[in-house]
Amino acid sequence: MDIFDYLKFDDLVNFTQHLVQTPSESGKEKKVAQAIAQEMEKLHFDEIQVDELNNVIGRIKGDGTGATLLLNGHIDHAEPGAMPEPYSGKIIDGSRFGVAEPVIYGRGAVDMKGAIACMVYAAAAMKKAGIKLKGDVIVAGNPFEEESAAKGVLYMLDHDGITADYAICGEATCLNVYVGHRGNAEVKITVKGKMSHASNPGRGINAVVKGAELVTFILQNYTLPKHDLLGDCTVTILDFVTATSRKAPVVPDRCEIYVDRRFLPGETKEQIMQEFRELINKAKTQIKDLEAEPEITKWGVALYTPPEEVIVEKLVAARQKVMGEAGKLSAWIFGTDGAFVAERGIPTVGFGPGNEYFAHTPEDHLPISHLEIAAKIYAQTVLEICG
Ligand SMILES: [Zn+2]
């Protein structure tokens, strides 16, 4: 028998449905964390812990002579919005989503309860098969990803002291191996003008008008770096806020522009600040009386694990074994908790079931076949790393 014979697929599908049927918006993960802990118990994990934030962490222990592998992902989900029956967890015909097979439907199915369920079952297969691992395999479900980027995973790493030699982030990759993603900087630009009576705008400097011109200038003039695997960097405007408490008719003397700048690993806050200062200086040659000051207000870490890293090679080999082809390395378009794991010096690669295109949409669903394939690939990678 090989390890795949010890994966209980019917139970895995049922467990995934149960997770989807357990609502867990950010900050409300207690029930889902407990459901995962109970399943780990049923599957004879050696150690199970649920911390104060509802990080749920299960461990199958090796004999201490091999590498430790962390399989993790988040257990919260985006709000369901107008999605009908968001917590049904029903198995339905996938043709309405353009998928020619049955799917599990519900909020969080693709992002990312299916991956969590696969990770639990892949690790449990080691126990079931009676394999003596050399290194530990840790399965962790982290809260607070959707709302407060990385709060849960950072608590697990820094407070619970969880560490590993390698990690797999299970955010949906449509069963491809992802080597990372761009980082995201939020830059706030404060534009200052001069107040005057609105009946006499020529006496003032209209900060809203200056800000609007600056927005156009930034979008037209920002030269951005490119990357073969992670994709090209982008810039867009997130928000435009007039920061006056207008009562009387006045020319506004202040506005705030919020800019999203996706960046590559290696780019620093200082570099990006410098770019914005230079852009503003250039804009000043075209926009009369422009006064603007940039400031970085959010920083989401970029992730890049090179293809020659052991965890990437092992995962690709596992995919080859299970799916018959290695596939093409790619990257997420959005950010993940995996970047924060990698920032702690743990090489981290991405692999998960489901098409990330449907994350946070009313069409949230997960093809049943992806569960089986992902669980097999996780199990094979565990064997390779910890076996
Ligand atoms: Zn996600």
Side-chain angles (χ1 to χ4, degrees):
M1 281 176 89
D2 72 20
I3 190 66
F4 304 145
D5 299 321
Y6 295 92
L7 282 161
K8 296 280 167 229
F9 294 115
D10 292 346
D11 291 354
L12 168 58
V13 171
N14 287 336
F15 179 46
T16 305
Q17 288 181 280
H18 179 48
L19 294 183
V20 174
Q21 287 157 356
T22 311
S24 57
E25 281 189 45
S26 301
K28 297 177 189 153
E29 297 92 345
K30 189 169 185 171
K31 274 205 179 123
V32 85
Q34 280 168 350
I36 295 164
Q38 272 163 19
E39 198 77 4
M40 287 171 167
E41 202 155 314
K42 197 177 97 186
L43 295 166
H44 309 293
F45 275 62
D46 294 317
E47 285 174 11
I48 302 157
Q49 167 192 4
V50 179
D51 73 15
E52 303 87 303
L53 291 192
N54 292 312
N55 278 295
V56 53
I57 304 154
R59 186 185 293 262
I60 290 174
K61 295 182 89 157
D63 63 16
T65 62
T68 296
L69 176 61
L70 169 67
L71 305 172
N72 82 307
H74 63 87
I75 55 174
D76 58 334
H77 57 74
E79 69 265 28
M83 190 175 179
E85 292 189 80
Y87 306 112
S88 87
K90 275 186 201 146
I91 295 174
I92 61 171
D93 176 7
S95 58
R96 74 177 77 176
F97 309 124
V99 181
E101 63 165 300
V103 301
I104 296 177
Y105 166 84
R107 179 48 98 224
V110 67
D111 185 15
M112 51 176 291
K113 291 180 168 176
I116 296 285
C118 290
M119 289 170 160
V120 170
Y121 271 76
M126 306 301 137
K127 263 286 187 265
K128 196 117 191 133
I131 291 168
K132 295 266 169 277
L133 294 175
K134 291 194 170 96
D136 294 5
V137 53
I138 304 167
V139 178
N142 309 119
F144 289 107
E145 192 266 354
E146 298 290 4
E147 217 176 80
S148 352
K151 179 173 161 187
V153 75
L154 287 175
Y155 194 81
M156 174 184 83
L157 296 165
D158 298 339
H159 183 272
D160 300 331
I162 297 297
T163 186
D165 297 296
Y166 304 103
I168 300 176
C169 172
E171 290 272 12
T173 66
C174 213
L175 302 175
N176 292 300
V177 178
Y178 282 6
V179 293
H181 52 74
R182 302 165 301 169
N184 59 295
E186 183 184 287
V187 183
K188 172 183 166 185
I189 303 173
T190 305
V191 179
K192 284 187 185 148
K194 190 174 150 216
M195 200 181 278
S196 74
H197 199 292
S199 65
N200 192 0
R203 281 197 66 205
I205 298 170
N206 193 317
V208 170
V209 173
K210 298 294 164 196
E213 288 179 55
L214 180 59
V215 163
T216 307
F217 185 89
I218 289 170
L219 295 179
Q220 288 175 350
N221 292 280
Y222 207 148
T223 314
L224 295 153
K226 296 173 188 292
H227 192 281
D228 284 347
L229 275 174
L230 300 185
D232 298 344
C233 291
T234 52
V235 68
T236 194
I237 306 302
L238 294 168
D239 206 351
F240 189 104
V241 185
T242 56
T244 56
S245 52
R246 184 174 61 83
K247 292 192 185 80
V250 294
V251 163
D253 62 353
R254 190 185 159 96
C255 79
E256 291 165 358
I257 304 162
Y258 289 85
V259 184
D260 180 289
R261 156 82 153 87
R262 299 286 150 160
F263 62 87
L264 298 178
E267 289 193 89
T268 64
K269 287 183 185 176
E270 289 67 32
Q271 283 170 351
I272 288 176
M273 276 295 285
Q274 188 53 29
E275 288 173 7
F276 274 89
R277 280 196 209 100
E278 281 169 18
L279 267 175
I280 289 167
N281 282 338
K282 249 196 211 161
K284 280 179 179 171
T285 63
Q286 295 178 27
I287 306 169
K288 192 172 165 273
D289 295 327
L290 175 66
E291 195 188 321
E293 200 53 54
E295 165 193 2
I296 291 178
T297 40
K298 277 186 196 156
W299 187 260
V301 186
L303 171 65
Y304 180 60
T305 305
E308 56 277 12
E309 182 63 62
V310 171
I311 185 63
V312 181
E313 285 183 346
K314 297 282 191 201
L315 188 56
V316 168
R319 189 189 191 277
Q320 169 86 48
K321 177 169 174 165
V322 173
M323 297 179 75
E325 50 182 331
K328 201 170 150 282
L329 294 180
S330 188
W332 286 291
I333 197 164
F334 48 79
T336 73
D337 272 1
F340 296 88
V341 176
E343 206 187 23
R344 295 299 187 278
I346 304 170
T348 301
V349 65
F351 181 84
N355 186 340
E356 69 267 39
Y357 181 75
F358 294 103
H360 298 204
T361 72
E363 294 85 37
D364 198 335
H365 71 273
L366 187 67
I368 299 280
S369 71
H370 280 216
L371 286 175
E372 177 168 348
I373 296 167
K376 282 181 172 177
I377 291 174
Y378 289 143
Q380 182 63 29
T381 311
V382 171
L383 269 187
E384 291 282 328
I385 296 282
C386 317

